[in-house]
C-alpha cells in the first residue's frame, strides 16, 4: 500500500472535458425560425410585421452609424496594406468564389440556395467577432478594429452594387431598388454619423439596452423573412440532403479563404500579429449586416432562403475561428513578459493552418 507522501501515478491518457456552449443569439435565431415555421404572420398581420421589420432595419443602421468612429478609422490608415488585403479578400475573392459555385447548380445546390450562397459572399466582414478572435489569438487587435470598421463602411455601398451586378433575381435589381436601399440603409447610417458627437455618451451608458435592440431588430427581420417564405411555400423545395450539401460547400468555402488569407499574409511579409488580423477579418461575413440587407434587396418570401445560407455560414465560422483563435493564442503564454512575448511573436513563423486540429 503506498504511503500518504507518495505522489500519485501519472495518468498516460487524460480525458479532457469538452464544454459545448451554444451562443444565446444563435439559439434565439433558431427559435425565431421555428416560430416563423409554426406561426408565420398571415393576412392582415403580414404587412404589419413587414413594416416593423423595415423600421428595425433603419434602427439597426442608425445605431451602426452612431457607433462607428470615423476618426479612429482614419487614424488606422497607416496599416493600408493590411486593410487593402482584407478588403480585397472580402469584396473580390469571396464574390469570385461565389460566382464559381454556380457550377454546383443544380447537382449540389438548388438555384435558390445558390442565390443565398452568392449573396453571403458579397457581404462585409463582421466587427465584434473579428476583433474578439484576433484578441484571443494575440494578433494585432488595433488593426482588426480599423479593418473591420472599413469593411462595414465599404459594405454599405459595395454590397448592394455587387448584388445589382451579380444577383439575377426575378425582375432583377433595378435602379429604383438601389435608391430604396440608399434610403433604408445609407440615410439612417448617415444620420447616426451626423448625430454621433451628441449621442455618444447616451449610447455608451445604454450599451446593454442597445445590444438588445440590435438583436431584437435582427430577430424581427428573420421572423418576417422566414414567415413570408413559409406562407409562400418555398420551403417545400428544401430537403435535408440539400441542406447538408450546402453546409459542406460553405465549410469548403471557409477553408479556402482561411488558407488563402494565411498564405497571402505570409507571402506579403506581414508579421505574425498582422497575419492573424488578416485571417480573422478576411474570412468573416456579417450576419448583422446581411439580414437587414437581404430584407431590403429581396422583399417577401425570397428573403428567407437568401438568409438561410448566411445563418449556417455564421455558425460554421464562429466554431472554426474559435478553435483557431484558442490554438494560436496558446502559442504565447500569458505569463511571459510583454517584451519577451512581442519578440517571440516577431521571430516565430505564422501558425500553420494544419496545426489547428
Amino acid at each position: 500500500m503506498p504511503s500518504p507522501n507518495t505522489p500519485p501515478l501519472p495518468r498516460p491518457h487524460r480525458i479532457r472535458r469538452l464544454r459545448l456552449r451554444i451562443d444565446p443569439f444563435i439559439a434565439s435565431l433558431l427559435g425565431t425560425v421555428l416560430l416563423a415555421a409554426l406561426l408565420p404572420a398571415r393576412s392582415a398581420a403580414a404587412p404589419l410585421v413587414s413594416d416593423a421589420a423595415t423600421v428595425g432595419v433603419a434602427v439597426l443602421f442608425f445605431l451602426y452609424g452612431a457607433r462607428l468612429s470615423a476618426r479612429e478609422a482614419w487614424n488606422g490608415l497607416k496599416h493600408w496594406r493590411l486593410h487593402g488585403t482584407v478588403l480585397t479578400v472580402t469584396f473580390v475573392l469571396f464574390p469570385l468564389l461565389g460566382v464559381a459555385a454556380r457550377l454546383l447548380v443544380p447537382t449540389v445546390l438548388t438555384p435558390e440556395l445558390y442565390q443565398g450562397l452568392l449573396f453571403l459572399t458579397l457581404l462585409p466582414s463582421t466587427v465584434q467577432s473579428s476583433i474578439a478572435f484576433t484578441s484571443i489569438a494575440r494578433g494585432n487587435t488595433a488593426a482588426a478594429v480599423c479593418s473591420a470598421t472599413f469593411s462595414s463602411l465599404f459594405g454599405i455601398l459595395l454590397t448592394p452594387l455587387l448584388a445589382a451586378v451579380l444577383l439575377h433575381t426575378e425582375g432583377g435589381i433595378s435602379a429604383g431598388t438601389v435608391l430604396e436601399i440608399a434610403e433604408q440603409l445609407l440615410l439612417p447610417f448617415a444620420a447616426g454619423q451626423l448625430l454621433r458627437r451628441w449621442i455618444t455618451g447616451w449610447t455608451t451608458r445604454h450599451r446593454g439596452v442597445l445590444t438588445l435592440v440590435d438583436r431584437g431588430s435582427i430577430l424581427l427581420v428573420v421572423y418576417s423573412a422566414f414567415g413570408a417564405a413559409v406562407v409562400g411555400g418555398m420551403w417545400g423545395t428544401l430537403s435535408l440532403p440539400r441542406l447538408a450539401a450546402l453546409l459542406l460547400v460553405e465549410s469548403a468555402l471557409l477553408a479556402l479563404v482561411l488558407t488563402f488569407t494565411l498564405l497571402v499574409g505570409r507571402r506579403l511579409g506581414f508579421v505574425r500579429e498582422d497575419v492573424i488580423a488578416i485571417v480573422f477579418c478576411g474570412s468573416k461575413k456579417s450576419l448583422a449586416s446581411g439580414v437587414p440587407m437581404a430584407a431590403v434587396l429581396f422583399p417577401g418570401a425570397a428573403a428567407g432562403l437568401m438568409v438561410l445560407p448566411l445563418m449556417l455560414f455564421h455558425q460554421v465560422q464562429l466554431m472554426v475561428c474559435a478553435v483557431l483563435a484558442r490554438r494560436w493564442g496558446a502559442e504565447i503564454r500569458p505569463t511571459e513578459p510583454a517584451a519577451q512575448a512581442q519578440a517571440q511573436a516577431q521571430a516565430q513563423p505564422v501558425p500553420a493552418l494544419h496545426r489547428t486540429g
Side-chain angles (χ1 to χ4, degrees):
M1 181 175 180
S3 65
N5 296 326
T6 303
L9 294 174
R11 297 180 181 180
H13 299 287
R14 244 177 125 180
I15 300 176
R16 294 183 179 179
R17 184 180 298 176
L18 295 177
R19 296 180 179 180
L20 298 177
R21 296 183 58 187
I22 299 177
D23 188 337
F25 183 52
I26 296 298
S28 300
L29 282 172
L30 296 177
T32 302
V33 172
L34 180 61
L35 178 63
L38 298 176
L39 296 172
R42 299 178 184 272
S43 303
L48 296 177
V49 172
S50 178
D51 292 340
T54 301
V55 174
V57 170
V59 171
L60 272 175
F61 278 84
F62 175 81
L63 293 176
Y64 291 162
R67 289 169 181 166
L68 287 177
S69 173
R71 178 176 298 180
E72 291 178 0
W74 181 259
N75 292 336
L77 280 175
K78 62 181 180 179
H79 291 92
W80 63 270
R81 290 179 64 243
L82 184 150
H83 305 319
T85 302
V86 171
L87 291 175
T88 301
V89 172
T90 302
F91 295 112
V92 178
L93 175 64
F94 255 116
L96 288 177
L97 292 175
V99 172
R102 180 67 178 81
L103 299 174
L104 301 177
V105 180
T107 54
V108 178
L109 300 175
T110 65
E112 294 82 8
L113 290 179
Y114 168 70
Q115 292 283 316
L117 178 68
L118 180 57
F119 172 67
L120 84 84
T121 65
L122 311 180
L123 293 171
S125 177
T126 62
V127 176
Q128 293 181 350
S129 62
S130 296
I131 297 170
F133 287 139
T134 301
S135 177
I136 293 171
R138 302 182 183 276
N140 190 338
T141 306
V145 171
C146 295
S147 189
T149 301
F150 285 138
S151 183
S152 296
L153 290 171
F154 277 88
I156 295 176
L157 294 172
L158 288 180
T159 297
L161 293 177
L162 289 172
V165 174
L166 298 177
L167 284 169
H168 303 289
T169 58
E170 293 183 6
I173 298 177
S174 63
T177 306
V178 175
L179 291 177
E180 183 181 357
I181 293 168
E183 178 183 350
Q184 295 189 34
L185 304 184
L186 292 180
L187 287 183
F189 180 85
Q193 281 281 290
L194 291 174
L195 298 176
R196 186 179 186 277
R197 59 179 298 184
W198 292 285
I199 64 176
T200 298
W202 183 83
T203 57
T204 302
R205 290 192 303 269
H206 299 85
R207 184 174 301 173
V209 175
L210 294 180
T211 299
L212 293 178
V213 173
D214 277 356
R215 296 189 172 186
S217 299
I218 293 173
L219 293 177
L220 180 60
V221 174
V222 169
Y223 174 78
S224 175
F226 277 87
V230 170
V231 174
M234 294 186 66
W235 290 105
T237 62
L238 291 178
S239 63
L240 288 179
R242 289 290 191 180
L243 289 177
L246 173 64
L247 189 59
L248 289 176
V249 170
E250 292 187 334
S251 299
L253 175 65
L254 180 61
L256 284 173
V257 176
L258 286 171
T259 304
F260 180 86
T261 51
L262 183 65
L263 296 179
V264 166
R266 296 175 62 182
R267 186 71 176 176
L268 294 178
F270 287 102
V271 297
R272 180 182 186 275
E273 294 95 329
D274 289 348
V275 173
I276 289 174
I278 291 171
V279 169
F280 286 123
C281 293
S283 62
K284 298 287 194 312
K285 289 296 178 180
S286 175
L287 180 70
S289 297
V291 169
M293 284 185 180
V296 176
L297 285 169
F298 314 100
L305 285 178
M306 297 301 292
V307 170
L308 179 61
L310 175 60
M311 291 178 59
L312 291 178
F313 186 82
H314 179 78
Q315 187 64 16
V316 172
Q317 72 182 9
L318 286 180
M319 292 189 296
V320 173
C321 290
V323 174
L324 286 174
R326 292 193 185 100
R327 178 61 60 87
W328 291 350
E331 293 181 355
I332 300 179
R333 297 181 180 179
T335 56
E336 294 177 346
Q340 182 180 356
Q342 180 69 17
Q344 288 191 359
Q346 297 288 342
Q348 70 184 24
V350 175
L353 189 64
H354 66 271
R355 294 174 57 191
T356 61

